[in-house]
Amino acid sequence: MKHARGKAYGIFGALLLLLAAAARSIWAAGEGAEYVAAAGSQSLYRLEVAQSRGTIYDRDLEPLVGETRELVAAVAPTIQSIGALETATKGRFRSRLALALEEGKPFTISLPTLVEDPSIDLFSVPKRYQEDQLAPHVIGYLDSQGRGAAGVELAMDDLLAGFSGEVSVTYQVDALGRVIAGADRQVVDTLSSARGGVALTLDRSLQELAEEAAEGLGKGAVVITQVPDCQILALASVPGFSPSTLGEAAEDPDAPLVDRGFSAYAPGSVFKLVVAAALLEGGSPLEDFVCTGSVNVDGLTFHCIGGEPHGEVGLEEALAQSCNCYFINAARSLGGQAILSMAYNLGLGAEQEFGRGLFTAAGELPDAASLQHPRALANFAFGQGELTATPLQLCAVLNTIASGGVYATPKLIAGEVDENKRLSPLSPVTDKEVRVMSVSTAKKLQRYLETAAREGTGRAGAVTEGVCGIKTGTAQTGVMEDGEELLHFWYCGYVGEGDSPQYCITVLCESTPDDGGAAARAFRQAAQGLLAGEE
C-alpha cells in the first residue's frame, strides 16, 4: 500500500514539474511582443513520423527487411498527452518530455506500449533492419540520407526508392510553431507502397542454415547454389555485422564488412578440378603416375601434403588423395594455355556484377607468358602462385560439373516485385549458359568427386544419404603469425537426393594455421540441412 501511494506521489510530482514548465512557457510568451503577433496568425506544420522504401524479398517473396515493427507516437504536446507518455515510458524521457511541453511543437517518440490520448496518434512502422539481420552482406545498408550505400540496397537503389512510402501528420500551429488546441490534423500514411521492391534468389531458410553452419569458421564463408542454373540460395560471410552498428564494424580488425563470399583467395587444391577437366578434354590417353611424395621442378622440390608418397595413381585416385605431384606432371603434359583456357571458360578471372556497386572480385589468373616458367606452372597446377578465386566462383565450377558440363553465371536478382507482390522475372544480358566440357567429362569428374567424399580427403565432411561429391583444398598464404603460416581451408562439393546433384556448397575457413576440422563440419552441417529440407 505504501509502495503504491509513493508511486502515485511520484507521478503527481512529475506532472507538477511538467505543469510548471508549461506555465513558465506561457508566461514568457504572454509577456513578449511575439505572442501578440502570434495570436492572429496560423500556419501548417508537417511532422514526419516514418519513411520507408521498397522491400527486399527472398525467392518465395518472404521479406528480408522490415520484418519487425515499432510503435511510434506523433504527439501534440498537452499536459494530458505528456502525462500519459511520462507514465508509459516510466519516466525515462522526463527531461525530453518537459522540454517538448515547454516548446509546444509536435514531436515523435517510440513507445513500448499503447497510449490513449486524443492528442496522440499511434503508428506501427517497420524497422528496416534487425539487430541480427539476415544476409547483411548481401542486403547491404543505407547512408545517412536513407539512400543505398552497399549490397542490394545500393545495386537496386533506384527501384527501391521508387516504392517509397511515408507517415506524416500535419498540424495547425501558430506563428511560434505551437499546436493550436482543438484544431484538426491531417494524417498521411503511404507505407503500403513499400510492398513493392525486388526479389532475390536467396532462400530464407537456407540462408539461416548457411549462417548457422558458418558460425564455427571464425573468418570465412558458406555459399550454396542451385543446380543447374547456379542461383545463389544462400551466402553467409563471417564475422557478420549489424547495420545498426556500422561504426563498430568499420573499426573491427577482422573486417566484418567484407563479403568473403565475393572476395578472392588462393583456392589451393580445389583448382585441381580445372586441371582434371582440361586433362579429360585434351583427348590424350590418361597415364598412371608414380608419386614418391615429392617432385623436382627446375631445381625446386614440390611436396605432396605431409611428403608421403601416394604410389601409383590415376586421375581418380589423384583427385581423391589430392596428389600434388600427379597434377604437376599433368600440367607439364598439358601446358599452361590449355589449363588457362579451361579456367577462363569456368568463369575464373572475371568479376560477376549483379547491379550498380554489387559485384564479386574478379580473382586472378596468371598470364600465359608467366606459365612458361616451370616453377610457376607447377604452382598453378595445384592452385597456388598468382591464382585467386572467390567462393562463389568455385561454386560455379562445381555447378558446371554437377550440371553435366554447362557453365552458368551465378544469379542473385530474381526480379521486380510490384505493390501487389507480383513478381516480374529479371534476366540480365550478362547471364549466360555455355557448354565448356563434354557430358562424359562432367560425369567422370562427378564420379571422382564422389570417390573423394567416400574414400579420400573429403570423408570428414561427407554425408552418407543421397549423392555427395567433395574436393578439399588447403592454400598457403605466405603470412606468418606466431611462427606458423596462415592457411585457407576449403570444402567444395555438391549434394542431392538419389543420384542427382541438387545443390553446390563452398566453404572457406580463412587465415588460420589449423582449422581444427571447422570447414568439414560446416560443409556437413549445410549438406545435412539441405537434404533434410528435401524430405
Side-chain angles (χ1 to χ4, degrees):
M1 188 68 178
K2 289 181 180 179
H3 175 72
R5 188 183 298 118
K7 183 176 181 181
Y9 287 158
I11 294 174
F12 180 70
L15 290 176
L16 285 177
L17 289 174
L18 294 172
L19 182 59
R24 285 197 307 272
S25 176
I26 293 170
W27 177 83
E31 289 294 311
E34 57 184 354
Y35 181 77
V36 177
S41 175
Q42 294 183 11
S43 60
L44 300 178
Y45 179 88
R46 181 178 176 277
L47 178 67
E48 183 181 288
V49 179
Q51 285 189 328
S52 63
R53 59 195 253 125
T55 302
I56 300 173
Y57 295 96
D58 81 343
R59 65 187 310 180
D60 296 319
L61 299 187
E62 292 292 327
L64 296 171
V65 296
E67 301 173 75
T68 60
R69 306 183 80 86
E70 63 178 336
L71 190 63
V72 177
V75 185
T78 66
I79 289 294
Q80 292 77 16
S81 63
I82 297 299
L85 294 175
E86 165 76 15
T87 301
T89 59
K90 299 180 180 179
R92 287 190 298 128
F93 305 106
R94 182 165 299 159
S95 298
R96 177 186 171 190
L97 294 175
L99 181 61
L101 181 60
E102 184 175 349
E103 291 181 343
K105 296 180 180 179
F107 66 97
T108 62
I109 186 170
S110 296
L111 294 177
T113 185
L114 293 172
V115 174
E116 293 186 10
D117 186 274
S119 298
I120 298 177
D121 295 298
L122 296 176
F123 304 94
S124 175
V125 302
K127 296 177 67 174
R128 187 69 178 175
Y129 308 118
Q130 298 187 82
E131 185 63 31
D132 55 345
Q133 175 62 45
L134 199 64
H137 295 88
V138 176
I139 298 298
Y141 47 85
L142 306 177
D143 63 18
S144 59
Q145 303 300 314
R147 298 180 296 240
V152 173
E153 295 280 26
L154 173 60
M156 308 301 291
D157 184 57
D158 292 342
L159 174 64
L160 295 170
F163 287 108
S164 62
E166 66 169 11
V167 173
S168 66
V169 182
T170 301
Y171 300 86
Q172 295 184 42
V173 297
D174 61 25
L176 300 180
R178 297 174 178 280
V179 176
I180 296 175
D184 291 336
R185 55 188 181 270
Q186 182 182 11
V187 175
V188 174
D189 185 349
T190 60
L191 290 181
S192 60
S193 298
R195 283 199 295 260
V198 61
L200 308 183
T201 60
L202 296 185
D203 181 295
R204 181 184 179 84
S205 62
L206 298 187
Q207 180 65 31
E208 291 173 346
L209 170 66
E211 292 187 10
E212 290 171 4
E215 287 179 359
L217 296 175
K219 291 189 291 186
V222 175
V223 181
I224 300 173
T225 59
Q226 177 177 271
V227 178
D229 53 8
C230 206
Q231 291 189 26
I232 304 171
L233 302 180
L235 189 153
S237 177
V238 289
F241 69 93
S242 169
S244 61
T245 55
L246 291 177
E248 294 179 14
E251 296 176 358
D252 191 324
D254 286 334
L257 294 178
V258 172
D259 187 344
R260 287 166 163 84
F262 286 179
S263 300
Y265 305 85
S269 291
V270 179
F271 188 73
K272 291 171 182 173
L273 291 171
V274 179
V275 181
L279 199 61
L280 290 168
E281 288 291 291
S284 300
L286 299 181
E287 298 181 358
D288 287 352
F289 174 81
V290 178
C291 171
T292 61
S294 64
V295 60
N296 186 283
V297 178
D298 195 30
L300 182 65
T301 300
F302 291 84
H303 298 274
C304 283
I305 294 179
E308 296 185 7
H310 293 112
E312 186 174 341
V313 292
L315 180 54
E316 182 172 5
E317 295 83 8
L319 272 175
Q321 302 304 323
S322 204
C323 177
N324 290 344
C325 296
Y326 179 97
F327 284 95
I328 291 172
N329 186 65
R332 284 171 165 172
S333 172
L334 284 167
Q337 186 57 59
I339 304 171
L340 270 178
S341 296
M342 180 59 69
Y344 279 121
N345 291 339
L346 287 167
L348 302 184
E351 70 179 22
Q352 176 74 41
E353 186 171 2
F354 301 107
R356 181 183 64 196
L358 179 59
F359 48 85
T360 70
E364 293 185 45
L365 288 173
D367 57 44
S370 70
L371 294 179
Q372 296 295 320
H373 194 291
R375 293 184 184 181
L377 181 61
N379 268 316
F380 186 51
F382 59 97
Q384 294 285 170
E386 299 176 21
L387 174 67
T388 61
T390 70
L392 181 59
Q393 285 175 327
L394 295 183
C395 244
V397 170
L398 268 297
N399 182 77
T400 305
I401 296 169
S403 65
V406 175
Y407 172 80
T409 51
K411 300 164 186 66
L412 178 63
I413 308 297
E416 180 179 337
V417 180
D418 67 17
E419 294 179 29
N420 296 311
K421 290 186 69 173
R422 292 177 299 212
L423 175 66
S424 298
L426 178 68
S427 298
V429 294
T430 54
D431 284 354
K432 66 177 182 179
E433 292 186 1
V434 56
R435 178 165 294 283
V436 299
M437 65 183 74
S438 66
V439 173
S440 61
T441 290
K443 291 295 183 183
K444 287 178 182 177
L445 291 176
Q446 287 179 27
R447 187 173 76 245
Y448 300 166
L449 285 166
E450 289 159 25
T451 299
R454 188 174 56 251
E455 305 170 9
T457 60
R459 290 193 306 273
V463 291
T464 55
E465 60 272 25
V467 63
C468 178
I470 295 174
K471 183 68 194 85
T472 62
T474 304
Q476 295 176 284
T477 68
V479 179
M480 305 298 292
E481 186 175 277
D482 298 327
E484 295 183 286
E485 184 178 13
L486 300 181
L487 308 171
H488 302 321
F489 293 85
W490 295 90
Y491 253 77
C492 300
Y494 58 77
V495 295
E497 284 192 310
D499 298 327
S500 300
Q502 293 171 278
Y503 307 101
C504 293
I505 308 168
T506 290
V507 175
L508 163 69
C509 186
E510 175 194 334
S511 300
T512 178
D514 185 357
D515 79 331
R521 290 191 295 273
F523 185 96
R524 186 171 61 249
Q525 183 176 346
Q528 289 173 338
L530 287 165
L531 295 176
E534 291 296 319
E535 294 177 356

